[in-house]
């Protein structure tokens, strides 16, 4: 009996779909699968390597001898090598030893479809099945309503390797996160958690953005079934899970996808389209059908097998533009003579259509930093089809404004008001992400001017402004309690800071903001519609005050917001009252429990004196560097 038996999980229909780039469940076919053939248990292997002269499975079970277990190439020109190896199963480590058509080139590669990988720096794949009995039926049943674009969406962005560490500075496990992290996110009131990439990656300083194991949760924190349990626990606690997903590039590591079978299989063969000079990484060939099927299958894999609720797609701008980070002469225009990557655009549209047509209640979110139009518009309407897009311009302008000394802010109020000229051109998510607290940018609180009191008052005002600006929001871990040092992926957040009142005050304020957001339809029902926002006054530059209204479907849920961007309290400040009835203060960032000075509005009198185009007005105190929210 041969060491490798002829066996296949592919039908002719599968092959036709694969060749056409339309097979979106390749993870059921390619890779390693524990099966039984003629009463014998073993593992079926299948790998795409069309330029290979020979492909072997090597591992401890055959002393890494490429002669022992040679796979059979299919007869249908699909480029797939496959076969059944009896009597090996879960837990065996393996790689593919590939001889290219040029006999001088041998590559030893990890399985692109491996479900589990060795702990880095080891690089082999592991035969695995991740059995888990899901207990999130309730969440999956109402997720469509919970995860909609007219629902609260407050995201806590987490790097698992540095959120918190054990006493001996080791990683926590998926099991430990299922207790500590879930409890924390729930207590803080965030609706969703977003994990920076958890797919297997070899190099810690890449933060996970240079992937080698697209179908494997990193073994740094435990097994795939333990990662499923973590997601399940979030769902049982009414919290959605978003994964960072990286279809834009991949590293050149010897065991990875690059030059996989001795040819440019996954990467574009033209270095002008296939290599990132910034990141020293390779770019997928979006025009190749089988590569498109690989990537779309990968996106659907996490939504299907791990019940994930959304994908935040990294570095979309780098995919859309042929001249992204390239000098003149380093890129070639498309057939229309411009700089758009038509193949990447087509892939993105196909990806989003596949995601939304296959799963209810999920979202795709684009990290896209340019003015490219229609990113979050449906494909049927000429858009790229994402559910949301990061509002990078708002983030940049807002932080630029806040770092200015208050005395100069009156000259730059347009930095804040400008966002409303384009706020509804996309479904925007407002991000204060990990990228804003690294590489010398400083932590958010230390980007604020003034003494300690002013820095923390500014930070509370910043977060209050974010939560009341149209759109959803995202906050990177540590920001919610005023982490003072830049993020360091090698160590835990500075949780000890919570012993100090100013840090605990920020944390309590963010917690209350989250609960206010979730319980205030005026902040989310029309968060992507111009009908959900109305200026009261954006022109009081001299006092650096902004006043505006947020609206839901029912007028009773309208909120009036007043922001004071100077350390001078604005007492007896009159603003137009856009509707009948009395107003009461429901949140004030200057409350003493947040570390503020206690400039509150206990009673708010309504006057028949007109102001700001309204027949009636109110007079309030807007605290120094504070935000007041009225209902």
């Amino acid at each position: 009996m041969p060491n490798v038996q002829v066996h296949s999980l592919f039908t002719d229909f599968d092959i036709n779909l694969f060749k056409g780039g339309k097979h979106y469940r390749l993870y059921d076919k390619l890779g390693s699968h524990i099966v039984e053939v003629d009463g014998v248990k073993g593992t079926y292997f299948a790998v795409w390597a069309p330029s290979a002269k020979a492909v072997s499975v090597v591992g401890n079970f055959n002393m890494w001898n490429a002669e022992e277990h040679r796979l059979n190439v299919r007869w249908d020109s699909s480029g797939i090598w496959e076969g059944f190896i009896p009597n090996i199963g879960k837990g065996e480590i393996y790689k593919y030893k590939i001889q290219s058509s040029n006999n001088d080139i041998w590559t030893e590669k990890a399985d692109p479809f491996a479900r589990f990988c060795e702990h880095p720096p080891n690089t082999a794949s592991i035969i695995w099945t991740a059995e888990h009995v899901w207990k999130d039926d309730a969440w999956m049943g109402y997720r469509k309503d919970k995860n909609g674009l007219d629902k609260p969406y407050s995201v806590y962005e987490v790097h698992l390797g540095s959120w918190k560490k054990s006493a001996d500075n080791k990683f926590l496990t998926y099991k430990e996160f299922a207790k500590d992290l879930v409890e924390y996110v729930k207590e803080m009131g965030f609706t969703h958690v977003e994990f920076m990439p958890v797919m297997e990656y070899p190099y810690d300083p890449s933060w996970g953005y240079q992937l080698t194991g697209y179908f494997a949760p990193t073994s740094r924190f435990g097994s795939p079934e333990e990662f499923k349990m973590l997601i399940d626990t979030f769902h049982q606690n009414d919290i959605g899970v978003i994964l960072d997903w990286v279809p834009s590039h991949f590293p050149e590591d010897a065991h990875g996808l690059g030059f996989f079978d001795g040819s440019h299989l996954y990467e574009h063969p033209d270095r002008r389209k296939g290599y990132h000079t910034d990141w020293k990484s390779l770019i997928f060939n979006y025009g190749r059908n089988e590569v498109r099927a690989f990537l779309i299958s990968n996106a659907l894999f996490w939504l299907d097998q791990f019940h994930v609720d959304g994908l935040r797609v990294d570095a979309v701008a780098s995919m859309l533009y042929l001249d992204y980070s390239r000098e003149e002469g380093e890129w070639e225009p498309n057939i229309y003579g411009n700089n758009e990557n038509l193949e990447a655009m087509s892939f993105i549209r196909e990806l989003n259509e596949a995601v939304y047509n296959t799963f209810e209640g999920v979202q795709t979110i684009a990290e896209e930093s340019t003015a490219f139009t229609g990113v979050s518009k449906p494909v049927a309407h000429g858009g790229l089809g994402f559910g949301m897009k990061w509002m990078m311009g708002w983030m940049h302008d807002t932080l630029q404004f806040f770092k200015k000394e208050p005395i100069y802010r009156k000259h730059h109020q347009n930095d804040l008001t400008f966002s409303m000229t384009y706020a509804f051109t996309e479904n925007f998510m407002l991000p204060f992400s990990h990228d804003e607290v690294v590489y010398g940018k400083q932590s958010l609180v230390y980007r604020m001017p003034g003494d300690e009191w002013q820095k923390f008052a500014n930070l509370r005002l910043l977060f209050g402004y974010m939560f009341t600006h149209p759109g959803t929001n995202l906050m990177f871990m540590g920001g919610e309690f005023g982490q003072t040092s830049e993020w360091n992926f090698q160590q835990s957040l500075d949780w000890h800071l919570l012993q100090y009142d100013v840090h605990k005050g920020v944390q309590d304020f963010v917690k209350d903001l989250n609960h206010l957001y979730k319980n205030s339809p005026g902040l989310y029902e029309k968060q992507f519609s111009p009908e959900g926002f109305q200026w009261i006054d954006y022109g009081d530059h001299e006092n650096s005050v902004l006043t505006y209204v947020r609206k839901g479907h029912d007028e009773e849920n309208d909120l009036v917001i007043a922001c004071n961007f100077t350390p001078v309290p604005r007492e007896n400040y009159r603003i137009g009252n856009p509707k009948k009835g009395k107003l009461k203060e429901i949140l004030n960032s200057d409350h003493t429990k947040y570390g503020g000075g206690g400039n509150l509005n206990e009673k708010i009198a309504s006057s028949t004196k007109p102001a700001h185009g309204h027949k009636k007005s109110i007079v309030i105190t807007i605290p120094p560097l504070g935000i007041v929210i009225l209902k």
Side-chain angles (χ1 to χ4, degrees):
M1 181 178 291
N3 291 339
V4 177
Q5 297 177 27
V6 175
H7 186 71
S8 184
L9 297 182
F10 284 91
T11 65
D12 290 344
F13 184 57
D14 286 324
I15 296 299
N16 288 334
L17 286 176
F18 177 56
K19 288 180 177 179
K22 301 297 181 183
H23 201 308
Y24 299 152
R25 293 180 65 99
L26 287 175
Y27 51 90
D28 287 337
K29 308 291 180 175
L30 288 165
S32 59
H33 300 271
I34 299 172
V35 296
E36 187 175 306
V37 176
D38 297 330
V40 178
K41 289 185 177 179
T43 301
Y44 165 79
F45 295 89
V47 61
W48 179 51
S51 293
K53 184 176 182 180
V55 178
S56 300
V57 182
V58 294
N60 290 339
F61 56 89
N62 62 14
M63 306 298 290
W64 300 87
N65 182 355
E67 300 299 322
E68 288 288 314
H69 294 94
R70 292 195 169 222
L71 298 180
N72 308 298
V73 66
R74 290 184 61 90
W75 60 93
D76 49 22
S77 73
S78 62
I80 294 171
W81 299 72
E82 61 184 353
F84 172 74
I85 302 178
N87 302 316
I88 66 168
K90 186 173 181 177
E92 288 281 2
I93 65 172
Y94 70 99
K95 284 185 177 179
Y96 296 118
K97 187 102 175 194
I98 301 172
Q99 181 184 15
S100 74
S101 53
N102 178 345
N103 292 339
D104 295 332
I105 299 178
W106 284 83
T107 54
E108 197 171 279
K109 294 290 187 178
D111 188 344
F113 284 84
R115 303 294 182 88
F116 197 24
C117 302
E118 284 190 297
H119 193 298
N122 296 326
T123 57
S125 304
I126 306 175
I127 299 170
W128 205 258
T129 55
E131 288 97 0
H132 175 75
V133 179
W134 289 92
K135 300 176 183 177
D136 63 350
D137 288 355
W139 169 269
M140 297 299 281
Y142 59 67
R143 178 176 71 175
K144 182 180 178 182
D145 177 64
K146 194 84 176 177
N147 219 23
L149 294 175
D150 60 347
K151 295 298 187 294
Y153 219 91
S154 178
V155 182
Y156 186 57
E157 184 189 25
V158 173
H159 177 261
L160 287 175
S162 58
W163 179 72
K164 187 182 287 184
K165 291 196 171 184
S166 65
D168 55 356
N169 203 39
K170 291 183 178 178
F171 292 136
L172 297 187
T173 65
Y174 292 129
K175 286 183 177 180
E176 290 169 318
F177 287 124
K179 181 180 184 298
D180 295 359
L181 181 58
V182 172
E183 285 181 1
Y184 183 73
V185 175
K186 184 176 183 179
E187 179 191 356
M188 289 299 298
F190 290 99
T191 64
H192 293 73
V193 66
E194 178 180 316
F195 295 134
M196 291 168 66
V198 297
M199 301 81 182
E200 195 58 82
Y201 56 99
Y203 188 50
D204 282 347
S206 78
W207 310 335
Y209 289 99
Q210 300 256 5
L211 307 181
T212 51
Y214 272 77
F215 291 82
T218 178
S219 56
R220 288 167 174 81
F221 314 114
S223 67
E225 53 266 40
E226 289 167 345
F227 184 52
K228 287 183 177 180
M229 183 267 292
L230 172 58
I231 296 172
D232 201 347
T233 307
F234 271 114
H235 286 172
Q236 291 173 54
N237 285 274
D238 226 28
I239 298 163
V241 178
I242 304 165
L243 299 187
D244 269 13
W245 186 60
V246 191
S248 48
H249 65 121
F250 57 93
E252 290 191 284
D253 293 60
H255 69 287
L257 297 178
F259 212 56
F260 188 80
D261 60 354
S263 73
H264 298 291
L265 189 61
Y266 288 91
E267 68 271 22
H268 200 287
D270 184 342
R271 294 283 276 193
R272 294 173 296 180
K273 296 181 180 179
Y275 184 73
H276 267 304
T277 54
D278 285 355
W279 304 324
K280 305 293 187 290
S281 57
L282 302 172
I283 303 170
F284 285 103
N285 185 352
Y286 304 109
R288 189 163 191 169
N289 287 342
E290 297 90 341
V291 173
R292 291 163 75 106
F294 168 82
L295 288 170
I296 295 175
S297 291
N298 185 242
L300 269 56
F301 168 78
W302 295 102
L303 299 164
D304 173 26
Q305 298 288 301
F306 285 80
H307 290 201
V308 166
D309 308 293
L311 297 172
R312 176 268 195 187
V313 183
D314 183 62
V316 173
S318 74
M319 301 168 66
L320 294 176
Y321 296 103
L322 296 166
D323 61 345
Y324 181 88
S325 199
R326 296 181 189 274
E327 302 295 331
E328 190 174 345
E330 295 178 346
W331 62 281
E332 183 180 46
N334 63 28
I335 57 173
Y336 302 112
N338 65 36
N339 64 343
E340 293 178 344
N341 188 330
L342 303 178
E343 293 173 342
M345 289 165 58
S346 169
F347 159 72
I348 289 170
R349 291 186 172 112
E350 185 179 348
L351 161 74
N352 282 317
E353 285 189 313
V355 166
Y356 285 106
N357 288 338
T358 309
F359 298 95
E360 281 194 332
V362 299
Q363 297 292 345
T364 60
I365 304 163
E367 190 246 336
E368 203 284 313
S369 55
T370 74
F372 193 98
T373 57
V375 173
S376 59
K377 294 293 184 287
V379 173
H381 297 164
L384 292 181
F386 287 99
M388 284 177 260
K389 169 183 170 172
W390 275 19
M391 199 175 189
M392 309 289 276
W394 171 88
M395 176 274 298
H396 177 267
D397 291 346
T398 299
L399 292 179
Q400 282 292 108
F401 176 87
F402 266 85
K403 79 176 186 179
K404 290 180 171 64
E405 292 287 345
I407 194 171
Y408 302 119
R409 287 178 175 175
K410 64 183 178 182
H411 304 298
H412 299 277
Q413 196 147 307
N414 182 60
D415 288 351
L416 294 183
T417 59
F418 177 68
S419 64
M420 294 312 303
T421 66
Y422 66 96
F424 305 108
T425 59
E426 301 276 4
N427 298 335
F428 280 121
M429 173 178 280
L430 315 180
F432 290 136
S433 75
H434 63 274
D435 279 328
E436 303 317 308
V437 290
V438 289
Y439 300 145
K441 295 178 182 177
Q442 297 185 295
S443 64
L444 287 182
V445 70
Y446 274 10
R447 290 166 83 160
M448 305 296 158
D451 58 19
E452 181 184 76
W453 190 93
Q454 290 191 17
K455 288 182 187 298
F456 280 89
N458 266 308
L459 186 64
R460 297 192 301 273
L461 174 57
L462 174 70
F463 289 153
Y465 168 65
M466 173 173 74
F467 272 78
T468 57
H469 188 287
T472 57
N473 56 74
L474 173 142
M475 187 182 299
F476 182 56
M477 63 182 198
E480 82 280 6
F481 63 81
Q483 168 105 0
T484 51
S485 60
E486 279 194 340
W487 171 53
N488 182 346
F489 72 92
Q490 295 177 304
Q491 64 188 45
S492 169
L493 296 179
D494 294 333
W495 294 102
H496 64 276
L497 293 175
L498 285 168
Q499 65 185 301
Y500 302 109
D501 290 344
V502 286
H503 294 277
K504 187 68 169 63
V506 172
Q507 186 188 52
D508 287 342
F509 184 61
V510 171
K511 187 187 304 183
D512 288 352
L513 276 173
N514 271 323
H515 289 295
L516 175 70
Y517 177 40
K518 290 194 293 187
N519 293 309
S520 300
L523 291 178
Y524 61 78
E525 286 182 339
K526 296 181 179 180
Q527 58 195 349
F528 300 126
S529 167
E531 297 175 353
F533 179 87
Q534 177 187 348
W535 284 116
I536 295 176
D537 183 20
Y538 59 84
D540 188 1
H541 303 85
E542 198 60 38
N543 289 310
S544 292
V545 169
L546 289 178
T547 50
Y548 48 94
V549 184
R550 290 296 310 277
K551 302 178 179 181
H553 297 310
D554 189 333
E555 278 190 13
E556 289 186 1
N557 295 321
D558 289 0
L559 300 180
V560 173
I561 294 105
C563 301
N564 174 11
F565 298 99
T566 74
V568 179
R570 304 301 174 189
E571 298 173 336
N572 299 314
Y573 192 91
R574 184 177 299 278
I575 61 174
N577 188 358
K579 55 177 291 185
K580 296 179 181 178
K582 293 184 177 180
L583 288 162
K584 68 175 181 178
E585 184 176 270
I586 57 174
L587 194 68
N588 185 321
S589 66
D590 197 49
H591 198 291
T592 53
K593 70 177 180 178
Y594 305 136
N599 291 275
L600 308 181
N601 292 278
E602 302 290 351
K603 291 184 179 180
I604 302 170
S606 183
S607 166
T608 56
K609 186 174 182 177
H612 301 127
H614 299 287
K615 294 180 179 178
K616 293 186 177 183
S617 60
I618 57 172
V619 175
I620 60 173
T621 294
I622 314 177
L625 297 171
I627 180 170
V628 171
I629 302 176
L630 311 171
K631 185 176 181 180

